[in-house]
Structures are given as structure tokens and as C-alpha cells.
Amino acid sequence: MYRIKSQIDKTSQTYLANKVAYTEMMATLHARTSSVINRETEKSVLKHKERGKLLARERIDLLVDQNTPFLELSTLGAFGKYENQFPSAGIITGIGVIQGKETIIIANDATVKGGTYIKETIRKHVRAQEIAMENHLPCVYMVDSGGAFLPDQANVFPDRFDFGRFFYNQARMSAAGIPQISIVMGSCTAGGAYVPAMSDETIIVKEQGTIFIGGPPLVKAATGEEVTAEELGGADVHTSISGVADHFAEDDRHAISICRNIFETIENKEKQKIDVIPVEEPYYDPKELYGIAPVDLKKAVDAREIIARIVDGSRFQEFKARYAPTIITGFAHIMGFPVGIIANNGVLFSETSLKGAHFIELCTSRKIPIIFLQNITGFIVGKEYERKGIARDGAKLVHAVANANVPKFTVVIGGSFGAGNYAMAGRAYDPRLLFMWPNAKISVMGGEQASDVLIQVKRDQLKARGKEMPQDDIDKLKKSILDKYEHEGSAYYSTARMWDDGIIDPVDTRKVLAMGIAMSLCKKWEETKYGIFRM
């Protein structure tokens, strides 16, 4: 493979100004992330620690193998919602390594409203289970939760992907042979009691963990019986009388040690084999991405400059380099793993779509994971392109993306607008993981385009009634639309609602993708079959 030759002038005003702007974006990301992680002085955290309990992230740190990374997902879930009373949506999820096995970890944060579940908490929990199922990863539940957040009951209880989906997923995972271990480290109430009850093995902490279908207040209300939480469903009851739990732990650390011991007995499944080569750092410093990443989405960025700072040795074997230049396709390695890369260099034309579909066919036939780097305004529009069949050719690319059964990973590095989001493996197309850079924007179209469309519709409506739209009204409507799209298109708005798996530092992109690829090898990949491509 040839090394990409960078054309970036690191002394130029454009580069330096971009770097300053991006450094400010990174400061915002770090501050917001810190606000949900570093909460040591909060009353609920102090009370939690006074009880001798470890915090959720401390528990995870002890659970995973030493000197291995933990890829936390959706750290800023629910950010900016509920007056920020649910940091990280009250639950920590992610991918770690336990006894050499890639594992999904789901840990309730009891310092956030007693670990209860709002809509976003459920979405994080279910999303983590989806990742476990798709990649055949063992799952550890670190349970410390009061169940559903009752004031939000209408949003957490009845629908298909609400609270009950946890247990449906657990049953399906069990049937698929995916190991599930529960560590009950606190409350486990009502429907939540089924999490440990449906796990392969369950550990419960002495005088700390409890499991019951109905807690003491409900028991008294329903039967008149007065009973303490420990008598009703404590560790002694469930390990010596009911048999609901299997292992009695003295404290959090002991429970985590038991869980690690259990993982020694979990079978090592046969992995998907791909040709891995020695890792080589990029020739160009990844920190240079701060001066290159698209801050102003109106300004073009050569995707090769991004690729050069992500892939091993900055080496890239470009495919169809001279054809359909608004999309960049080619092969590279990331942390030694072979990858196919599809990156935007402009709008999608008919020939762009055909080039992308052809490249996806190569990746699926060669069993190579695909990385999508999104910076896309969408498909080209206009009479000429419609007559040439842009819809038909665009559909070929969408077919290929939807049916590709090699792992797909998506990073939104700039804009993600309209059908371009779909063609480049947006959330609806089930990439194994999808991350955003802090500068990323996502919406049905750009704010400028949306305002122009809506203003034109309004003017046409008035014109049909013989009226004109005053310039003042045009300006006000335009500003309101631009403000709305700026707010709702933000990476933070997206990540708060779990439309992605988190906002990442561009410098960490190669490491994050490598962890995703390593995870995807835990299950043999299915053969790809395509449907009908209209010719």
C-alpha cells in the first residue's frame, strides 16, 4: 500500500484557525464529560460511599483485566435533559475484557435516582444487549437499581423496547448460548428481579444486595405482612433458602472476584479469522486532525487527509481513485486489522453510488470490515440527475450497505444529512458501532436548506391567496429555523438520545475502531446475500 501524501500546510491561517476552534470544541467535550463522571462531592455519591459501596465505574475498573481499555458507550446519554438530573442516563455500559474475553458490561449507577430507569436508561441497557447479541459477547449485569422511575412510567413500561425488553433479550441471548452473569450489588426490585433470575449465574452481596418482586412497602400494602428488605430478599435468603442466587459475596470486591473466577470457566468460542499484521502508528500525527476536521461544514475537506491520520502507517490502497471522486474508497489497516474505508468527498452522484456499491461487494467477498467516514450533504438533486436515474443508482448503494454482513462501523466526522446518512450506514443500517466527533451535525437536511424550503412553501401559500410575505417575517422565520436546526443537529443532542454510541476525540478514532473490530471477531460472520439491483 502507498503512503498518502498530505497536502496540509500546518503553518497556514486556515489550519491554525481550525485548530483553535477545534481545541475549544474539545474543551467543551471534556468539561461536559467530566460533569457526568466526576461527581464526588454530590450528596448521593457521598452517601453511597459511606455504605462501603464502590461507584459504578470503580466496579467496572476492578472487573476488567488490568491494563486493558474499557470502551464506555453513550457517556453523555440524557445530557441536557431532565435538568441534567440523570448523568450518563443513570447507567454505565460498554465493552471490556474479562479473563481475555471481550464482554458487554451493564452497571447501574445507584447514585442517580437510586439507579432507576428513565427512557434513555432503558435505551442504553437495550442497546448494550443488542451489541452483545450481534457479536456473541458475554454480558455482565452489575445490578444496583430501584427499577423503573415511577414518575416516567408511561415512557418506560408498555412499549416494545421498554423495560420488558431486557428480559426478552436475556431469554434470546441464553437460547443463543451467550453467557450472562449478574452481580447483585444493591436493590433489585419488581421486574428488575428477573435480571439475576434469568442469568446463568448470580452473585449477591451480603447485607447490601436484595432481590424481590415486591419490596417491603408493597408487601405490607398487599398482604399486611411487615418484613425487612433483608428478610424478604437478602443474600442469605437467596443463597441458602430460595436458590435464586448462586454465590454469596462479603462485599463489592469479593463479588467482582467471584465474577472473574466464573469467567475462567466460560468457553472460548471459535473466532472469525482475518489476516492481522503488526500495528504501525500513522505516519502523520493524529492530533493534526484538530486542524483538519470540518468545523465549517460549508468548506470542503479532502477525506484522504482524515484517513492518513487514522490508518496504520498512513498507507491506503485507493480503489477507483480517478472515478467518481466525491467518494473515497480503498483498503488499509487499523491497529493491524484489515479494513475497507468509504469516505465522503462531496455529494453522492449516480457514479458515486455505483463505485460505493462495487467496493462493498469487494469487502464482503473478501471478508473485510467496512469503515464509513460520514461527511455528507446527501444525493445530488435536479432534473438532469433524476433523468439519469439517481434514485435507481442510489438504491444500489443502499442495497449494498443494508445487506453487507461484514461488520460495519460508522464515524460521523462532519455533516450527516438526508438520505446520505442512510447510504453511509447511519443508525438505521445497523453498523456494529456508530460514533460522532464533537463537530458533527446530523439532521434531515442542513439548516440553510431547510429554511429556504420552508420559506418558499410559506411564500407560495401566501401567493396563492394574493399576498406577499414581508421581509421581516422572512428573516424571523429563517432565524427560528436556523436556531432549531443548529440545536437539534448538534452531536450533543444526538448522543443524549442515543442516536449514536458516543462522542469521541478524533485522536482516539483508530483505537475505538480497533476495539470494535476485535469485538466483532467473537462471532463468525454470515455470508452476504444481495437482493434485486435495478439496472
Side-chain angles (χ1 to χ4, degrees), residues 47-194:
K47 185 178 289 187
H48 185 89
K49 300 196 88 166
E50 283 170 8
R51 292 170 177 158
K53 299 170 73 172
L54 297 171
L55 300 176
R57 289 183 178 88
E58 292 174 336
R59 290 167 172 171
I60 292 169
D61 287 343
L62 288 174
L63 180 62
V64 299
D65 294 351
Q66 287 188 9
N67 302 316
T68 63
F70 174 69
L71 179 57
E72 185 171 333
L73 304 173
S74 299
T75 305
L76 293 173
F79 182 83
K81 303 187 74 178
Y82 311 98
E83 299 179 336
N84 281 324
Q85 293 181 46
F86 286 86
S88 295
I91 195 168
I92 315 304
T93 64
I95 305 156
V97 178
I98 304 174
Q99 301 291 15
K101 302 173 180 75
E102 285 84 1
T103 305
I104 284 289
I105 301 170
I106 300 173
N108 298 115
D109 186 348
T111 70
V112 180
K113 303 291 185 182
T116 53
Y117 282 76
I118 52 171
K119 179 172 64 175
E120 288 77 11
T121 324
I122 290 172
R123 185 69 197 100
K124 276 186 75 168
H125 188 126
V126 170
R127 172 64 182 146
Q129 288 180 315
E130 290 170 349
I131 294 169
M133 286 187 281
E134 187 169 28
N135 298 283
H136 213 283
L137 304 182
C139 192
V140 173
Y141 305 96
M142 306 183 93
V143 187
D144 198 346
S145 168
F149 183 60
L150 296 182
D152 201 35
Q153 68 89 22
N155 293 317
V156 301
F157 173 69
D159 209 353
R160 182 183 180 194
F161 291 103
D162 285 348
F163 205 88
R165 194 71 181 189
F166 303 165
F167 320 124
Y168 173 86
N169 286 343
Q170 282 191 256
R172 301 286 292 184
M173 290 161 71
S174 183
I178 298 173
Q180 297 173 85
I181 310 298
S182 280
I183 313 176
V184 182
M185 312 177 97
S187 180
C188 188
T189 308
Y194 288 111

Side-chain angles (χ1 to χ4, degrees), residues 1 274-281 311-315 331-339 510 514 521:
M1 294 183 183
I274 58 175
D275 294 327
V276 181
I277 66 172
V279 175
E280 184 181 359
E281 290 299 311
V311 302
D312 290 8
S314 302
R315 301 180 192 280
F331 297 100
H333 289 84
I334 292 180
M335 302 290 281
F337 294 113
V339 295
R510 59 188 264 103
L521 301 178

Side-chain angles (χ1 to χ4, degrees), residues 206-251:
K206 169 187 173 184
E207 296 176 355
Q208 183 174 301
T210 56
I211 305 170
F212 31 63
I213 299 298
L218 182 59
V219 169
K220 184 174 182 182
T223 69
E225 180 184 10
E226 291 193 11
V227 62
T228 67
E230 191 65 24
E231 292 169 333
L232 185 63
D236 188 55
V237 169
H238 285 311
T239 56
S240 66
I241 300 173
S242 75
V244 170
D246 310 298
H247 305 278
F248 183 96
E250 295 291 335
D251 54 26

